[in-house]
Amino acid sequence: RVVPVFVAPAARLWSRLPRIAGLVVLAAAALVVYGHQISDIRVAEKEYHRRLPGFVLDLAPQLKRLAGDDPDVFVMARKPHLAHYAGLEYMQYPHDLGGPDAFIGFAVEHDVRFIVYSEIERAHYPGSLFLAELERYAGVEQVYEDAMAVVYELGRGLTVDEAAVNTFTANLEHRLAVALERGDVELTFQLCVLISEASVRDGDWQTAATYLERAIAGMPRGASLEARKALANVKINLAQSYLKLMRHAEGVSLLEPVMSGIAALLPPDRQATAHACLARHQEHLGRLDLARRHLGLARDLYIAAGDMGHADDMRRHLETLR
C-alpha cells in the first residue's frame, strides 16, 4: 500500500536530479516500506507468542504425576503437545465428536485414560458444551483443573454402555419421578427445566424440547408473577429448541401469541432473544417481511440492553434479507 505513494514522486525526481540523488530517494522510500513490514512482522510475532499453548509446560508434570509409573497411558486431546511433554501416548480427538456418549465411547474403545479439555479444545469446539462437564457421565472423574485446562480420568474397566449414562440427568429424572408422585407442581416445573438445560448441553434438542413442553403443560393458570416470568422464559427456550429441530410453524405458533406478555414480563435482552428467534422461524417459512420486522425490533432491544455485539449480529442479518 505504501509503494504507490512514492512511485510518481520518485519518477519526477529521477528525471530532474542527478542519478545519485534519485537513488537516495528510492533508498529512502525502500526504508519506509521495510519499516512498515518490520512493524507488521513484530505485531504478528507478538500475537503468535500470545497464542502459544504455554500452559502445556505447567500441565505436563501434573499429568505425568497422575499417570504414575505407567508410560503407556493414552491422553486424548486435540493436539499432541501435552502427551509429548508428559512422556505419555497420544490419542487425537475424533474427527466428529458427536454427542457425549459417542465421544466418551470413542475414548473407551481406544483405551484412553485421560481426556484433556483446554483452551485449545474450547476454542475449536464452542458448540460442544458437554466437554466442560464430562464428569456428569458414569465412570468419568475430573482429576485436575486450573484456569487453562481440565483433565478427566476414565475409570478402568469402563464399558461403552456404562459411559453412555449421564448420572447427573439420571439423578434429576429420579427426583422428577418423586415430585410427580407427590404432586409437587413447582418442583416438577423446575426439574423439567433443569433436565432440558442438561439435554441442551449434550446437544440433544429433541429431549430438551420434550421436557420444556412438559414444564409448560404442568404449569397451573393464575400463577404468581415470578412463575409467569419463568414460564415466559421457558417458552423462549422451547422456541429456540424448535428452531434447532426445524419445527418452524410450531415456533411461530408458540411465540406470536405471547410476545406482548414477554414485553411486559421480561427485560430487554430476553425480549430481543424472543424477537430474534421469531425472526428466524419466519425467515425459514419464507415470510421475509415479518422476519425483517422482528430482526429490527431485536436489534433495537439489544441496543437498549447495551448488548452491541448481538445488535450488530441483527444488523448484519437484516442486510442479508434486503
Side-chain angles (χ1 to χ4, degrees):
R1 291 194 300 270
V2 176
V3 171
V5 175
F6 291 93
V7 170
R12 288 195 295 271
L13 285 170
W14 186 277
S15 63
R16 296 176 184 176
L17 298 176
R19 180 172 177 76
I20 186 65
L23 290 175
V24 169
V25 171
L26 289 176
L31 284 173
V32 172
V33 172
Y34 295 149
H36 278 275
Q37 290 178 333
I38 291 169
S39 175
D40 288 344
I41 290 169
R42 286 176 175 171
V43 170
E45 285 184 341
K46 189 174 182 180
E47 176 64 13
Y48 170 76
H49 284 289
R50 187 188 68 81
R51 297 179 64 180
L52 283 174
F55 69 91
V56 165
L57 298 177
D58 296 326
L59 183 56
Q62 299 294 336
L63 194 59
K64 189 174 181 63
R65 175 183 59 79
L66 290 167
D69 298 326
D70 188 354
D72 297 326
V73 167
F74 276 90
V75 178
M76 191 162 81
R78 185 171 177 271
K79 295 290 186 180
H81 311 80
L82 184 58
H84 170 74
Y85 286 113
L88 304 174
E89 298 295 327
Y90 171 63
M91 176 60 63
Q92 189 175 26
Y93 269 41
H95 178 69
D96 180 8
L97 298 192
D101 50 349
F103 177 77
I104 300 173
F106 175 89
V108 170
E109 289 173 348
H110 290 81
D111 296 321
V112 169
R113 182 170 165 193
F114 296 110
I115 299 174
V116 177
Y117 175 62
S118 71
E119 63 173 10
I120 297 173
E121 290 78 24
R122 189 179 300 115
H124 199 75
Y125 306 108
S128 298
L129 302 177
F130 65 85
L131 291 173
E133 299 177 344
L134 287 179
E135 73 276 9
R136 292 184 172 194
Y137 281 79
V140 182
E141 181 184 359
Q142 181 180 305
V143 292
Y144 180 83
E145 180 181 17
D146 60 24
M148 305 300 292
V150 176
V151 178
Y152 302 103
E153 183 174 6
L154 274 62
R156 303 190 184 193
L158 182 65
T159 66
V160 173
D161 289 340
E162 290 170 339
V165 177
N166 186 325
T167 54
F168 178 81
T169 304
N171 178 56
L172 290 177
E173 288 172 341
H174 172 71
R175 293 173 58 194
L176 176 60
V178 173
L180 286 168
E181 185 177 344
R182 294 177 177 173
D184 190 331
V185 175
E186 183 176 342
L187 184 57
T188 295
F189 177 87
Q190 293 171 349
L191 289 168
C192 282
V193 173
L194 289 174
I195 294 172
S196 172
E197 290 174 353
S199 300
V200 167
R201 298 189 75 77
D202 286 347
D204 186 352
W205 293 96
Q206 182 56 62
T207 299
T210 298
Y211 276 97
L212 289 176
E213 288 166 348
R214 289 179 64 178
I216 292 170
M219 177 63 73
R221 295 184 179 277
S224 67
L225 175 61
E226 289 304 312
R228 293 200 302 274
K229 288 181 180 179
L231 185 59
N233 273 307
V234 165
K235 288 184 177 180
I236 296 173
N237 293 345
L238 179 56
Q240 290 177 313
S241 297
Y242 285 163
L243 189 59
K244 291 287 186 178
L245 296 168
M246 296 186 290
R247 294 164 60 177
H248 303 301
E250 291 170 89
V252 170
S253 297
L254 175 68
L255 276 184
E256 272 193 336
V258 298
M259 292 303 288
S260 60
I262 288 173
L265 292 168
L266 301 182
D269 60 327
R270 287 299 283 167
Q271 295 178 45
T273 300
H275 281 288
C277 183
L278 186 51
R280 293 292 305 279
H281 282 301
Q282 298 286 20
E283 179 185 353
H284 283 287
L285 293 171
R287 303 167 184 169
L288 299 187
D289 286 342
L290 289 171
R292 283 189 286 265
R293 174 176 174 270
H294 286 290
L295 282 172
L297 291 169
R299 177 201 57 206
D300 295 343
L301 285 162
Y302 277 129
I303 291 172
D307 188 343
M308 301 310 297
H310 278 105
D312 286 341
D313 290 342
M314 297 302 103
R315 177 184 55 76
R316 285 190 290 268
H317 197 159
L318 267 170
E319 289 173 356
T320 66
L321 296 183
R322 286 177 180 154

